[in-house]
Amino acid sequence: MTRHGYEGVALAAPVTVPYRRYSTHDAHWWIARALAALLKDTGLQKDDIDGLGISSFTLGPDTAVGLTQHLGMSLRWLDHVPMGGASGVVCLRRAARAVQAGDAEIVACIAGDTNHVDTFRRTLSTFSRFAQDAVYPYGSGGPNASFAFITDWWMRQFGVEREDFGKLCVAQRRNAMDNPHALLRKPLDLDQYLGARVIAEPLHLFDCVMPCAGADGYLVMTAERAESLGLDSVRLLGAIERHNAFPDDPVQMRGGWALDRDELWGQSGVGPGNMDFFQAYDDYPVITLMQIEELGFCPSGEGAAFVREHEFAYDGDCPLNTCGGQLSMGQAGAAGGFLGLVEAMRQLLRRPLGRQVADATHGAVSGFGMINYDRGLCSAAAVLARP
Amino acid sequence: MRARPRLKNPILRTRQPLTPPMPRSRTALGLTAQAAEGRFALQRCESCGRVQYPPVDSCRGCLSEELLWTPMSGRGELLAHTTLHHSNDPFYRERLPWRLGLTRLEEGPVVVAHLHRDCPPPPAAVRVTAKLDKAGRGVLVALPADELGDMSTDPRHGEFSCDPEHRKVLVTDGKSRVGQALVRELAAAGASVIWVGQAEPWKKYEGQDAVEKLPQVTVVPLDLTDERGVKRIGAEIGGRVDILINNAEVHRTQGIADSGGAELARREMEVNYLGLLRLAQAFGPAMRARGADGGASATAWVNVLSVYALSNYPPQGTYSASKAAALSLSQCLRAEMQDAGIRVVNVFPGPIDEEWNQPLPPPKLAPERLARDIVRGLRDGVEDLFPGDVAREWLGRWKDNPKVLERELALESRTA
């Protein structure tokens, strides 16, 4: 059975509540700021929103349900997407189906997290049962060790060098230089990247995202509705998600994209070669490389060669994470999973946070999330286009 | 061989004890229960045979709930490794850099494990074991495949073990045959100081010269029924004891009907139960404070109990009861010691080959064998020790069905 397409779905009003390294506010505050920004951006009233999709790690003890009362919203459609780095695309998939089916007219998708001084450690220690039982007691203090294993394995298996990861990180930092919201805007060159202090071999400082507080959001509605409201919007051409793909791979060499990419490009009617930019999930550069390969920008196992042949800044031939990505913006919890999506919308709507990719009409967004034990379980991707 | 710890600068602040993260799911504590007895076991599905890790509540293959903790070969292939130079956890922050490995076990699962420094980089064969960490929780440790020895060759892994080498040890009763064997064994294992407790130091005893001429030995007057005396010795040496082995006991062979009053049972309780309580109050706080005191930190507390603590052996009914009381108290001690990272080791010997077990048929446990097993248990870092064939057989019967064992023991006492 073929899946229904996403015809008639419009995405509008990408918003980012400026990130901060630490915040004394709760996640509720950040999510409320994002909702307020969505309304301000569109001129809509709160009551016009009848659907809400939420992603957050630090909302506890609340879920999306408690937020309805906190925000004073009466909704007929509500979703809570606890998928971290995949939550942006997954939230979009849910919301798109809701507006197509008429279950909701306008869905606000918001991810927001706070970062108190001790938030990150607490989030890690209770992240998942497997992490609590079989990773956290080993001193990793988070995903560093899991990604160090994956990076170590990739480097040996596929001949990837630190310089290859470095090239991606340096390009992203260049993208961030004109983005006033990026928390990390000191110039970074390859020597600085290579000379940075080691965190968990082979990972060094600039391979790791910096936890911070922040929120991102966007609206999903029908194209007719967007037009009648006079909102600029982008189209959703295709979207995929997959959870716990390839469970028998001893080390994570693939995510779910490998299973679903033909479906993604088939549904979208375009291919990787048509993309004007790629917003990849960049918690660690090895994952960026994995997405480049698996979404078909280059053949499997040839990511390193691809990196050496292309340029990834906004003005290069393969613009990647054009606002600087999480590696330069900071990782605002689950909002990190929204960042690529809202940046893709901004590029297509010609209102980027930083530099504009010239003449961008099509872009790909990819999400990856939830290091439950030794690997990320959730993968997702979407293809967006200007109307 | 452990390196001899450097002498401590008395002006510097003593490092406060910290432990690795303790929380585990109830299911995952099964790994701890196995490691406590020195076994590396994982859940195996009784229905489809699949071995599971991390611990789960139903088989990841066929969803069966029949998951049995099954010993693993330990053989595995190291797939990837890392050395942490950063951690968010306070315990590890002061132990960096820390090496970890990702290993595929022969039985299938891929495990995260502490990685011994001598393991070659991947791909490499390794031997995975389960150990109790400083928090008393089971963790996996990958060792070089070709090394038969222990963890002592990686100083970072020293805390998985309670090796008596270069450590100061108190043996609470140095006169008994078990006590003498312990002193000899500890001296051979490289203990630097051995305090030997004697309830009545003026009395001569067989074997006295051999024990007391050892250069490590210092005799201390220690009568566990004398609360003030125990406190005095605790105040004197408690701050230096790294390992305390409580083997003092009163052992009489009587049930209820033949004991004719509570006096003998009271004497058993005075030493076997209240003696432990007095010791714990006199030595516990000082040992807890030194739980992370460098390479020569306080590390273990050993209680020589009896396998009769698990289930009453009617011919030695009151003795069994006193050991059961001591076991219960020892669990309390273990809980109070865990934050300091001090391991409480309970030893459950079967009948020892000594005068009070004279009527019992063999096999009986030689005191030398018991002492050897205790020292090995300290080195291996186990928490519950069942030395000898009788103890292990009892344990098997008790684990299988404690009620059945109770009936069997009642019958054995009639035919004995």
Side-chain angles (χ1 to χ4, degrees):
Chain A
M1 189 179 130
T2 50
R3 288 166 58 217
H4 297 288
Y6 292 102
E7 292 80 11
V9 173
L11 289 72
V15 300
T16 293
V17 183
Y19 291 4
R20 285 178 214 160
R21 175 71 169 107
Y22 291 111
S23 167
T24 53
H25 297 297
D26 281 354
H28 305 66
W29 183 91
W30 286 93
I31 290 168
R33 289 337 315 139
L35 178 64
L38 287 171
L39 300 179
K40 184 163 178 248
D41 202 44
T42 56
L44 288 167
Q45 299 300 306
K46 200 167 59 176
D47 291 345
D48 296 329
I49 310 280
D50 59 352
L52 180 66
I54 291 291
S55 185
S56 177
F57 288 114
T58 53
L59 193 56
D62 280 329
T63 65
V65 177
L67 268 184
T68 61
Q69 198 168 30
H70 197 92
L71 299 171
M73 302 177 86
S74 294
L75 302 165
R76 59 175 180 146
W77 188 92
L78 183 65
D79 200 3
H80 190 111
V81 178
M83 296 182 197
S87 59
V89 172
V90 172
C91 236
L92 169 59
R93 277 168 53 94
R94 308 278 188 277
R97 293 310 187 195
V99 299
Q100 280 184 319
D103 288 348
E105 285 189 27
I106 301 179
V107 178
C109 298
I110 301 175
D113 268 301
T114 190
N115 188 40
H116 306 321
V117 170
D118 202 30
T119 295
F120 189 63
R121 193 181 65 87
R122 286 167 190 274
T123 301
L124 296 177
S125 63
T126 55
F127 191 78
S128 71
R129 192 175 119 176
F130 280 1
Q132 173 204 280
D133 287 348
V135 182
Y136 195 67
Y138 292 81
S140 65
N144 283 337
S146 300
F147 283 99
F149 290 145
I150 295 171
T151 305
D152 173 58
W153 192 86
W154 268 66
M155 290 176 77
R156 244 175 307 105
Q157 198 73 15
F158 298 124
V160 188
E161 304 288 338
R162 281 197 64 213
E163 285 79 356
D164 301 321
F165 295 132
K167 184 172 176 182
L168 298 176
C169 296
V170 168
Q172 287 190 206
R173 182 59 57 87
R174 193 165 155 248
N175 289 341
M177 297 307 289
D178 291 313
N179 173 1
H181 289 333
L183 293 182
L184 299 167
R185 274 196 297 159
K186 259 167 61 177
L188 177 71
D189 65 26
L190 192 61
D191 286 340
Q192 287 167 317
Y193 169 89
L194 294 172
R197 71 185 168 92
V198 59
I199 300 295
E201 293 165 26
L203 301 177
H204 293 62
L205 184 64
F206 296 113
D207 293 310
C208 308
V209 288
M210 182 178 81
C212 66
D216 295 278
Y218 56 87
L219 298 179
V220 180
M221 62 195 80
T222 59
E224 295 85 27
R225 188 64 193 264
E227 199 179 342
S228 71
L229 290 168
L231 296 176
D232 291 339
S233 66
V234 301
R235 289 181 295 144
L236 173 60
L237 301 186
I240 52 169
E241 72 179 82
R242 180 71 65 165
H243 307 283
N244 195 26
F246 306 113
D248 295 327
D249 284 357
V251 181
Q252 183 157 38
M253 61 180 98
R254 302 172 280 188
W257 307 282
L259 288 174
D260 303 303
R261 69 162 170 242
D262 292 345
E263 160 103 23
L264 175 71
W265 298 120
Q267 185 178 46
S268 304
V270 287
N274 304 109
M275 294 300 107
D276 298 308
F277 58 80
F278 179 33
Q279 313 293 349
Y281 190 77
D282 63 331
D283 51 353
Y284 297 84
V286 68
I287 302 303
T288 305
L289 205 59
M290 195 184 290
Q291 293 162 85
I292 287 173
E293 290 187 6
E294 290 192 21
L295 284 170
F297 290 96
C298 73
S300 246
E302 296 179 18
F306 182 83
V307 168
R308 289 163 203 170
E309 288 160 14
H310 294 273
E311 296 301 326
F312 299 92
Y314 65 92
D315 54 356
D317 60 340
C318 189
L320 174 76
N321 295 337
T322 45
C323 66
Q326 298 182 83
L327 284 169
S328 294
M329 283 278 285
Q331 180 176 55
F338 271 49
L339 183 63
L341 186 55
V342 291
E343 172 62 12
M345 292 170 66
R346 285 189 194 103
Q347 287 290 341
L348 297 170
L349 294 171
R350 307 283 185 266
R351 41 198 268 207
L353 291 178
R355 302 298 291 260
Q356 175 69 46
V357 175
D359 305 324
T361 58
H362 289 81
V365 183
S366 177
F368 172 79
M370 308 308 285
I371 313 305
N372 195 57
Y373 169 50
D374 60 339
R375 64 193 67 200
L377 294 187
C378 310
S379 57
V383 178
L384 305 183
R386 275 179 74 80
Chain B
M1 284 282 285
R2 289 175 71 230
R4 180 186 295 278
R6 264 185 276 170
L7 285 178
K8 181 182 160 191
N9 181 343
I11 295 171
L12 297 181
R13 172 177 178 270
T14 299
R15 197 165 61 144
Q16 294 300 292
L18 292 170
T19 63
M22 282 189 187
R24 299 286 195 282
S25 66
R26 185 165 200 278
T27 307
L29 283 173
L31 183 80
T32 299
Q34 296 288 334
E37 292 178 34
R39 269 191 308 277
F40 170 32
L42 297 182
Q43 295 167 299
R44 186 178 175 280
C45 176
E46 290 298 276
S47 175
C48 73
R50 185 180 178 126
V51 176
Q52 328 271 330
Y53 192 81
V56 289
D57 299 339
S58 74
C59 173
R60 287 166 79 176
C62 71
L63 296 181
S64 161
E65 60 180 330
E66 304 297 323
L67 300 168
L68 208 66
W69 289 90
T70 309
M72 296 288 113
S73 71
R75 284 189 291 273
E77 188 201 0
L78 183 65
L79 302 171
H81 69 145
T82 184
T83 301
L84 303 178
H85 293 260
H86 169 273
S87 174
N88 289 301
D89 182 78
F91 174 85
Y92 286 101
R93 281 184 85 93
E94 54 183 29
R95 286 164 177 80
L96 297 171
W98 192 269
R99 195 171 183 223
L100 299 176
L102 191 69
T103 297
R104 177 161 49 182
L105 299 176
E106 191 176 75
E107 290 85 357
V110 174
V111 302
V112 174
H114 297 298
L115 187 61
H116 192 282
R117 70 172 178 191
D118 294 340
C119 291
V126 291
R127 181 166 57 90
V128 177
T129 60
K131 295 289 173 191
L132 296 176
D133 67 9
K134 195 79 174 151
R137 300 296 188 272
V139 290
L140 303 181
V141 182
L143 304 169
D146 51 3
E147 191 188 338
L148 296 171
D150 47 33
M151 299 154 295
S152 60
T153 49
D154 186 338
R156 290 179 199 289
H157 287 192
E159 286 180 308
F160 296 127
S161 153
C162 305
D163 198 325
E165 189 176 27
H166 305 309
R167 282 204 158 98
K168 300 185 274 296
V169 188
L170 168 64
V171 178
T172 60
D173 177 8
K175 281 187 175 177
S176 67
R177 283 190 58 201
V178 169
Q180 293 184 40
L182 275 168
V183 171
R184 284 194 299 272
E185 198 64 32
L186 288 163
S192 56
V193 173
I194 305 170
W195 289 285
V196 174
Q198 296 185 358
E200 295 164 321
W202 58 89
K203 277 192 187 166
K204 300 280 176 211
Y205 58 97
E206 199 185 328
Q208 181 166 15
D209 291 345
V211 167
E212 294 182 13
K213 76 164 195 255
L214 288 168
Q216 301 92 334
V217 165
T218 303
V219 174
V220 292
L222 187 58
D223 176 355
L224 298 196
T225 65
D226 170 11
E227 191 154 327
R228 283 166 61 189
V230 173
K231 276 202 176 124
R232 192 170 56 244
I233 297 298
E236 221 171 275
I237 64 170
R240 288 188 286 156
V241 172
D242 302 325
I243 298 174
L244 188 153
I245 302 182
N246 179 25
N247 67 317
E249 66 170 15
V250 171
H251 186 179
R252 295 295 178 269
T253 50
Q254 60 197 1
I256 295 169
D258 50 358
S259 54
E263 189 45 37
L264 286 176
R266 189 198 309 277
R267 285 174 55 197
E268 286 171 336
M269 291 299 275
E270 273 294 336
V271 173
N272 301 357
Y273 168 66
L274 290 170
L276 171 58
L277 180 66
R278 293 184 189 106
L279 275 173
Q281 288 173 344
F283 287 81
M287 287 182 72
R288 272 204 300 276
R290 291 187 50 251
D293 192 9
S297 59
T299 184
W301 181 299
V302 182
N303 292 311
V304 181
L305 304 172
S306 160
V307 77
Y308 303 160
L310 297 182
S311 188
N312 193 288
Y313 181 54
Q316 303 192 8
T318 59
Y319 174 75
S320 301
S322 72
K323 290 293 187 176
L327 169 60
S328 182
L329 190 67
S330 174
Q331 290 171 324
C332 173
L333 181 65
R334 185 175 279 160
E336 292 188 6
M337 288 291 203
Q338 73 171 356
D339 285 332
I342 292 174
R343 188 156 303 161
V344 173
V345 182
N346 285 334
V347 186
F348 300 85
I352 298 165
D353 199 359
E354 43 103 357
E355 54 182 330
W356 292 101
N357 288 323
Q358 177 243 335
L360 294 182
K364 285 187 276 194
L365 186 63
E368 292 72 23
R369 165 76 192 278
L370 172 59
R372 211 159 49 234
D373 280 5
I374 288 174
V375 168
R376 186 163 55 213
L378 285 168
R379 279 205 195 104
D380 289 346
V382 301
E383 182 176 279
D384 290 319
L385 197 57
F386 293 84
D389 297 330
V390 176
R392 274 199 295 278
E393 200 228 3
W394 269 58
L395 176 66
R397 286 154 72 183
W398 179 75
K399 279 185 175 171
D400 179 56
N401 192 329
K403 194 71 189 172
V404 170
L405 178 61
E406 180 195 306
R407 283 293 185 279
E408 288 173 325
L409 295 173
L411 189 65
E412 277 175 34
S413 65
R414 282 181 64 214
T415 54

